[in-house]
Amino acid sequence: MLNLLPPLFVLALLIAAGSGVPTDCTGCDLSGRDLHGADLSSVSYVGVDLSRANLRGANVRNATLIGVDFGDADLRDADLRNAALCAYDTVGRIGCSDFRGADVRGADLRGVRVCQSARQARGCVPVEAATLRRAAHSNLDGATLR
């Protein structure tokens, strides 16, 4: 059984690489990508451009998505439960992912979190819905927030 672990690990890496979607990225440009139904659970994206991306039905649970641009993205029915979407900057202001113009109907944003650092999801706490709406530049109509 132990002899199978290295080949299975390599196979898993090849499958992940084949999708062309990184699991850990700072400043990547994924704008306009078709990620419909993709499994992005537990990814770590900081400052990534996902504007105009199709994330309909994507699994983005427990992801770190600090400062991600979701402008005009299709997030219908996406599952973002417990994702870290916000962080405090160096002067204590809150900065969140930008949802301007995004279609969030049916998206699940329950338990989204704010963190003390954009680099680490440790010490994150749930963000209030009103704070999230303000910081995300969207009223998030149609999304489940609680």
Side-chain angles (χ1 to χ4, degrees):
M1 177 66 174
L2 290 177
N3 290 341
L4 290 176
L5 289 179
L8 289 175
F9 180 72
V10 170
L11 178 61
L13 287 176
L14 288 173
I15 290 170
S19 69
V21 180
T23 58
D24 186 7
C25 186
T26 298
C28 291
D29 184 357
L30 301 175
S31 59
R33 293 282 301 265
D34 184 4
L35 301 171
H36 179 251
D39 183 3
L40 300 174
S41 58
S42 301
V43 299
S44 179
Y45 290 172
V46 178
V48 171
D49 185 357
L50 280 166
S51 62
R52 300 176 317 283
N54 178 5
L55 292 155
R56 187 172 188 172
N59 176 8
V60 199
R61 289 181 78 170
N62 302 306
T64 300
L65 304 166
I66 308 296
V68 171
D69 183 359
F70 287 111
D72 298 315
D74 184 352
L75 289 158
R76 289 177 288 169
D77 302 316
D79 185 352
L80 289 100
R81 282 179 287 171
N82 302 313
L85 296 179
C86 304
Y88 290 103
D89 65 16
T90 56
V91 292
R93 291 181 303 216
I94 193 168
C96 286
S97 294
D98 192 335
F99 287 83
R100 276 181 253 223
D103 187 345
V104 295
R105 290 175 291 165
D108 193 339
L109 295 166
R110 288 179 291 168
V112 296
R113 300 169 291 138
V114 61
C115 305
Q116 295 298 320
S117 165
R119 295 276 169 225
Q120 297 179 356
R122 287 187 309 214
C124 299
V125 295
V127 65
E128 300 268 334
T131 302
L132 180 61
R133 284 184 176 107
R134 250 188 335 274
H137 306 289
S138 172
N139 58 17
L140 301 173
D141 280 349
T144 302
L145 297 172
R146 293 184 187 250

